[in-house]
Every structure is written in structure tokens, then in C-alpha cells.
Amino acid sequence: MLDSAVVLVLDSMYKKRCTTSLFRKWSKKAQNDRVLGDPYDPKTNHGPQIDGEQLKKILGLVESGVKQGASLQTGGAQYGEKGFFMQPTVFADVQDHMDISTQEIFGTGHAD
């Protein structure tokens, strides 16, 4: 289970220990196992974004990542209709020049 809000893994680090496909499978499962909800509920490990503006920024960066050629593996959309929840999101094939690689995203994000 991933406990942090953001996971960053350098390409050279994970390739030494596992294949790209294994890493993608693991990261998608870890993100899909997250429990979204009230951050004060002990069963929750993924709370909402701080506000609608931050959610909108994240959604824009997801859209940018797809347009720039990254492969959206899972998530990438708002979760539910209440609050500012973002689905856990996993990208693959992220290049250094892409906005999702160069911009800070304060929310659950993962790019391999």
C-alpha cells in the first residue's frame, strides 16, 4: 500500500529491481487499492484536494500529459460528485519535457 500522497521513482532505480511492466502493474494495483474519503476516517488513505482550483489544476495537467504523449494507465478524473476528490492516477511513458514531469502536482500522482 502506498501511504504517501505523491510517489516519485527514478527510472534508473526501479529498472534495476523490476521490469517496467511489473512496476506498472504494481503501481496501478497500489493506486486502485486506495480508499478515498473523509481524511478523519481511519480507513481512508486518500483525502480530497484543498479546493476546486487545485482540482482543476490537476485535471488540466492530466489532460496535458495525455496530449503530450504520456500513457494514462489508470484514474485521471474527478472522483464522485461531492467534494474535490481526484482519482488516484498513474501515467507511463512520461518524458522529461512534459508538463506532468516539470510542474508540481499537489495530489496523488505517479509517473513511471
Side-chain angles (χ1 to χ4, degrees):
M1 178 60 84
L2 298 174
D3 289 327
S4 64
V6 178
V7 177
L8 301 174
V9 179
L10 298 175
D11 185 58
S12 60
M13 290 173 66
Y14 79 82
K15 282 188 178 175
K16 290 179 183 175
R17 296 202 172 112
C18 65
T19 65
T20 302
S21 62
L22 180 63
F23 182 80
R24 288 180 183 170
K25 183 178 177 181
W26 171 83
S27 62
K28 283 172 61 175
K29 180 178 178 353
Q31 294 291 45
N32 289 332
D33 287 348
R34 296 191 69 77
V35 177
L36 281 71
D38 180 350
Y40 296 107
D41 182 337
K43 295 176 185 167
T44 297
N45 57 19
H46 182 119
Q49 303 309 308
I50 191 71
D51 58 26
E53 184 178 332
Q54 183 61 31
L55 178 64
K56 199 172 177 182
K57 176 184 175 187
I58 294 168
L59 290 169
L61 285 167
V62 169
E63 183 179 338
S64 171
V66 171
K67 284 182 180 176
Q68 292 177 337
S71 174
L72 182 61
Q73 300 290 298
T74 188
Q78 183 172 356
Y79 176 81
E81 296 180 17
K82 286 178 131 181
F84 306 115
F85 292 92
M86 179 73 191
Q87 294 175 344
T89 301
V90 177
F91 277 100
D93 308 313
V94 176
Q95 304 297 313
D96 289 342
H97 70 277
M98 294 178 177
D99 292 341
I100 59 172
S101 179
T102 62
Q103 302 295 313
E104 284 190 89
I105 303 173
F106 289 98
T108 301
H110 180 91
D112 73 37

